[in-house]
Amino acid sequence: MKKTVLAGALSIACFTGGFGLQANAQEIVRDNVDVASIIHPKQAVAAVIPLQSMTYQDLYKKLLISELAIDKHGVVTTKNSITVKFSIDPTWSAQEQKEFKELYGNAMQIKFTPSGNSFKGEVLEKGKWLPLAKEDLNDIITGMFEDEKIDLKPGGYFTDSIGHWAESYIQVLYQFDIINGTSATTFNPNGKVTRGQLAAMIFRASGLDVKEDYEGPASYKDLSNIPGAKEIAILEEYGLLDIFDGANFEPNKPATREEMAFVTARYLVGMDYDVSKVSKNNPFTDKSKMRQETVEAIGLLKQLGVVDGANGQFNPKGNLTRAEFSKILTLTLVLLDDEE
């Protein structure tokens, strides 16, 4: 008999810690009636922040796993800079909002650029980039990360993903040991996800343990001496891999979008996410091309905002990319965290 509840839940400390970033940064401004006092326009040279332990790459990674990047889309990266945008807080007084707009418009922008082993900062005021004094930069950084609860992993600065639409999701999964790069500095976001890789990432996200949960080989005939065979066997036991119903698992075969949707929906249910009140309506115009057992799974994930398509179609037989799955799995983890 198939098991129905997974053994453990991933602790998503990142979301409860990093997601305070926007409010904290705004408090720096709000605490000063004169919002201009957080910078020194006359400072001639931007100074390096006196937080020796934080490098430019650490700042990049911390910002990418924040709510400001994932939900608010307020972090913009390029090869040589990170720009953070803070919106007006609607709870401010009319006078505070007026002063803010006079200086920054509808959003204050702070740009960070590498400087030696650390970084410098500038603020866009009245259309001009002005350097931040080290004291002000230190206050801003401290305010943004004062509730940070996650220790960053080494690595994860993937140069081929800087500026990519999925870079925040990639960084979240990297920090949780769910996904790895293709090298120390590359991720290959548009590369394909194989069935074996899909199973491995779902397994890591589940909180399951090979030593505790493995009860015997999978039914698939092609997993002898294959890395990850025990993980695949455990997921099969829980019913997450029923979409792969052939005699062989074919771990190196690219996973399709509908296979991913089936596994992800089963993962949500297995993690005790309450789907009873969620519509399973599948609005995609190409659902006739879907395997029957994936129609409701895709509909569920669509209604939850986890998956999307293009021009009204889901492209169920299309290959799943590493970037696409990074986003889908991250949004799934957020759903689980929000339900706690």
Side-chain angles (χ1 to χ4, degrees):
M1 185 175 69
K2 292 285 175 66
K3 299 179 182 179
T4 57
V5 180
L6 293 180
L10 181 68
S11 174
I12 312 176
C14 168
F15 298 138
T16 57
F19 272 24
L21 186 154
Q22 186 180 35
N24 290 335
Q26 288 178 338
E27 284 171 6
I28 297 173
V29 180
R30 192 189 321 163
D31 288 344
N32 298 277
V33 176
D34 178 8
V35 291
S37 65
I38 69 165
I39 66 168
H40 294 293
K42 295 181 180 179
Q43 184 78 13
V45 179
V48 176
I49 188 170
L51 296 176
Q52 279 77 18
S53 61
M54 184 180 290
T55 65
Y56 178 80
Q57 293 187 11
D58 284 345
L59 175 68
Y60 168 88
K61 292 186 285 185
K62 281 179 175 285
L63 286 171
L64 285 187
I65 61 176
S66 71
E67 180 185 30
L68 191 63
I70 297 172
D71 278 358
K72 309 297 182 184
H73 308 293
V75 177
V76 178
T77 64
T78 69
K79 296 292 184 181
N80 300 306
S81 69
I82 310 166
T83 301
V84 182
K85 299 180 180 180
F86 298 107
S87 303
I88 290 176
D89 189 327
T91 65
W92 293 348
S93 69
Q95 180 61 28
E96 287 172 330
Q97 293 192 37
K98 179 176 179 291
E99 292 176 347
F100 184 96
K101 283 188 175 182
E102 288 175 352
L103 289 171
Y104 311 117
N106 292 325
M108 180 174 68
Q109 299 184 54
I110 298 175
K111 181 168 64 177
F112 304 97
T113 53
S115 180
N117 292 325
S118 190
F119 50 89
K120 60 184 179 181
E122 298 171 279
V123 63
L124 185 62
E125 181 183 327
K126 295 183 179 180
K128 296 181 180 180
W129 286 106
L130 301 173
L132 285 164
K134 64 178 182 179
E135 294 84 0
D136 297 314
L137 188 56
N138 186 62
D139 286 344
I140 290 171
I141 296 298
T142 301
M144 287 197 298
F145 298 123
E146 64 182 0
D147 292 331
E148 187 63 56
K149 298 177 182 178
I150 187 171
D151 293 327
L152 294 173
K153 284 177 53 181
Y157 189 74
F158 302 123
T159 56
D160 63 347
S161 299
I162 296 174
H164 194 283
W165 60 264
E167 67 179 332
S168 287
Y169 309 116
I170 292 167
Q171 193 60 227
V172 167
L173 297 189
Y174 176 80
Q175 292 301 329
F176 281 121
D177 284 323
I178 294 172
I179 202 166
N180 296 311
T182 52
S183 75
T185 58
T186 59
F187 183 77
N188 189 20
N190 299 320
K192 298 173 184 178
V193 176
T194 67
R195 291 179 173 188
Q197 291 167 345
L198 173 62
M201 288 184 278
I202 286 289
F203 185 87
R204 292 173 196 145
S206 71
L208 292 165
D209 183 89
V210 170
K211 293 181 179 179
E212 295 180 2
D213 297 295
Y214 180 69
E215 296 182 357
S219 65
Y220 303 110
K221 307 302 182 184
D222 60 344
L223 298 181
S224 298
N225 302 316
I226 295 294
K230 290 184 177 180
E231 288 85 343
I232 292 170
I234 294 169
L235 294 182
E236 183 189 26
E237 183 70 18
Y238 281 112
L240 270 71
L241 304 181
D242 287 353
I243 191 68
F244 306 114
D245 52 6
N248 294 324
F249 183 70
E250 298 179 275
N252 295 320
K253 183 177 181 178
T256 66
R257 287 168 55 79
E258 68 175 347
E259 290 168 346
M260 168 279 301
F262 181 92
V263 173
T264 304
R266 284 289 180 92
Y267 166 73
L268 265 176
V269 173
M271 295 297 283
D272 287 336
Y273 186 84
D274 184 8
V275 300
S276 61
K277 298 180 181 179
V278 182
S279 170
K280 313 298 189 303
N281 177 54
N282 187 322
F284 294 109
T285 59
D286 58 348
K287 60 184 175 184
S288 63
K289 299 178 182 179
M290 301 174 187
R291 289 179 55 168
Q292 190 57 43
E293 59 266 49
T294 70
V295 173
E296 281 198 357
I298 293 169
L300 170 68
L301 297 184
K302 169 62 175 174
Q303 299 302 328
L304 288 171
V306 172
V307 301
D308 212 336
N311 301 317
Q313 297 190 337
F314 183 71
N315 187 23
K317 309 302 182 187
N319 291 326
L320 178 68
T321 70
R322 290 166 59 79
E324 288 172 342
F325 190 61
S326 295
K327 178 179 180 179
I328 289 163
L329 187 51
T330 298
L331 294 181
T332 301
L333 295 178
V334 172
L335 283 176
L336 293 170
D337 185 63
D338 288 344
E339 195 179 54
E340 291 183 358

